[in-house]
Amino acid sequence: MNSETISKCDKCGTEVSSTLLSCPQCHRLLHASTIQELLANAEVKGKEGDLSKQLMLMREALTFLPANSKQNQILGQRIEILSQKTDTTPKEENSNKDTTANWKKLGVLGSVGLFFWKFKFIFTFLVTKGKLLLVGLSKGGTLLTMFASFGVYWTLWGWKFALGFVFSIYIHEMGHVYALNRLGIKASAPAFIPGLGAFVRMKQMPMSSRENARVGLAGPVWGLFASYLFFGLYYLSGYKSLSALAQVSAWINLFNLLPISPLDGGRGFSSMSLAGCALCVTVLFVTWYFTSQTLLLVLAVAGVFNAISQKDVAQENDIRSVFTYCLLIICLSPLSILTEISGK
């Protein structure tokens, strides 16, 4: 069914299709009023301090501008400038401070308090991001595909391990959703594919390699917290299945750091210069040497080929992506061999 309609340009009277963004005769913007309304609302959100919503409205306005127009380029530059502020503008700053202070107080309470103090960053993470996690679970498509995956994994490993495994995948994907929301990029809730994992469908694309890296690496960052949550619970209970979940979760997040597009590691490498890639590869080789985790060697070799081929290598180095990638490798690697470490 063709939903295309024909109307006349208000300026020159030329018949134009509803699929066009500008008049082919006089080049008048056909959605000027919509663009103005979106940008006006974006300005209001900016004054209110809601940077993510401001970016989302500006990105939506951009879709009504022809790709080769000067207006598109100007608005795109404004979006990039604001997008860079998301790296330095804290979100829920007061909430984080208050939560951190509360966990510090719990640090003096016996063995349980000691555990909370040692792993307080996990609980701070869950408290501050809990609302977003619940929002994701409120989506029918997410729940339906999640239960389907849960059923498949249940038949393989039992319901307890399957539940933790699905939870770890969900946390990873919600990391991507969080980064997308923060950058004002519209995206779907996670959808699970039984036996293969899950994915988030972006309704808009990142405008730069820096944004692409932020979105890509956010999944393993959130996955890191899930892995250490399992480890923390194992530390408390000694329950071996939790140790296995911590190890599997860490391994999966490490695998996603493979520096090949479209995996998360490839998106992270896309914002790094040759020097940044070299540093990450060095960290991979050193960590592999100390842990003997074969996956790290695979990542390192892939990183070398990525750098040599110059594919997805940026001219300007994104220090934050380099630091995040290296930190993820260092923190996830010990958990990926947790069984070998504990001897269980």
Side-chain angles (χ1 to χ4, degrees):
M1 181 178 178
N2 188 0
S3 59
E4 180 180 351
T5 59
I6 303 297
S7 60
K8 289 187 177 182
C9 174
D10 294 337
K11 185 176 181 180
C12 67
T14 302
E15 290 188 346
V16 293
S17 167
S18 59
T19 60
L20 296 177
L21 299 178
S22 64
C23 174
Q25 183 65 31
C26 66
H27 305 295
R28 175 183 175 273
L29 295 175
L30 300 178
H31 303 282
S33 59
T34 301
I35 295 171
Q36 292 173 358
E37 182 180 356
L38 287 169
L39 292 179
N41 291 335
E43 190 70 22
V44 171
K45 292 299 179 181
K47 292 179 180 179
E48 293 175 353
D50 192 343
L51 181 58
S52 297
K53 187 63 176 179
Q54 182 183 13
L55 279 168
M56 184 175 293
L57 290 168
M58 292 174 69
R59 290 182 195 274
E60 187 174 353
L62 193 68
T63 63
F64 293 102
L65 291 169
N68 59 348
S69 66
K70 184 177 181 180
Q71 296 96 324
N72 185 292
Q73 296 176 4
I74 293 174
L75 183 56
Q77 291 172 356
R78 289 181 57 195
I79 292 174
E80 176 60 21
I81 292 172
L82 281 178
S83 174
Q84 291 177 5
K85 289 185 177 181
T86 61
D87 288 344
T88 56
T89 303
K91 193 171 184 179
E92 302 173 345
E93 182 178 8
N94 293 333
S95 175
N96 285 335
K97 288 182 178 180
D98 292 342
T99 307
T100 302
N102 289 335
W103 287 119
K104 286 182 178 179
K105 293 177 182 178
L106 290 175
V108 298
L109 301 178
S111 59
V112 175
L114 178 62
F115 167 75
F116 285 147
W117 181 83
K118 285 186 176 181
F119 299 101
K120 62 182 181 296
F121 68 97
I122 300 175
F123 297 98
T124 300
F125 170 83
L126 291 175
V127 170
T128 56
K129 313 305 179 190
K131 182 178 179 180
L132 179 61
L133 295 177
L134 292 176
V135 169
L137 290 174
S138 68
K139 306 298 181 181
T142 298
L143 280 177
L144 182 62
T145 56
M146 180 184 287
F147 278 120
S149 292
F150 172 66
V152 171
Y153 300 136
W154 186 347
T155 61
L156 295 174
W157 305 310
W159 73 267
K160 293 181 181 179
F161 188 90
L163 184 63
F165 188 66
V166 169
F167 172 79
S168 68
I169 296 175
Y170 176 71
I171 293 294
H172 176 104
E173 294 302 322
M174 288 306 293
H176 295 310
V177 172
Y178 173 80
L180 289 164
N181 288 344
R182 186 163 173 77
L183 290 168
I185 300 174
K186 292 184 177 180
S188 68
F192 284 75
I193 304 177
L196 295 177
F199 68 95
V200 173
R201 182 182 293 107
M202 291 187 293
K203 301 177 182 179
Q204 298 169 328
M205 296 302 295
M207 296 181 61
S208 66
S209 59
R210 181 192 59 81
E211 287 189 344
N212 194 32
R214 296 294 178 273
V215 174
L217 294 179
V221 168
W222 278 48
L224 173 69
F225 282 93
S227 301
Y228 272 92
L229 174 62
F230 289 131
F231 174 69
L233 294 174
Y234 163 68
Y235 177 88
L236 263 185
S237 65
Y239 192 53
K240 293 182 180 180
S241 290
L242 291 170
S243 171
L245 279 168
Q247 182 175 1
V248 170
S249 176
W251 193 93
I252 290 175
N253 282 283
L254 272 180
F255 177 82
N256 273 279
L257 289 173
L258 189 69
I260 297 176
S261 296
L263 293 177
D264 300 333
R267 299 167 77 176
F269 264 54
S270 69
S271 68
M272 301 179 194
S273 67
L274 189 60
C277 293
L279 177 59
C280 291
V281 168
T282 300
V283 170
L284 283 166
F285 274 118
V286 171
T287 312
W288 164 70
Y289 176 80
F290 284 105
T291 63
S292 299
Q293 169 58 270
T294 305
L295 179 58
L296 292 171
L297 181 60
V298 175
L299 265 66
V301 172
V304 170
F305 279 107
N306 187 312
I308 292 177
S309 66
Q310 292 294 312
K311 185 178 180 181
D312 298 331
V313 176
Q315 296 300 316
E316 295 184 6
N317 195 35
D318 180 18
I319 300 299
R320 177 168 172 173
S321 292
V322 175
F323 175 80
T324 301
Y325 189 93
C326 292
L327 188 63
L328 284 168
I329 294 299
I330 293 171
C331 292
L332 286 169
S333 296
L335 288 187
S336 72
I337 57 170
L338 185 58
T339 301
E340 289 86 339
I341 293 174
S342 61
K344 296 179 181 180

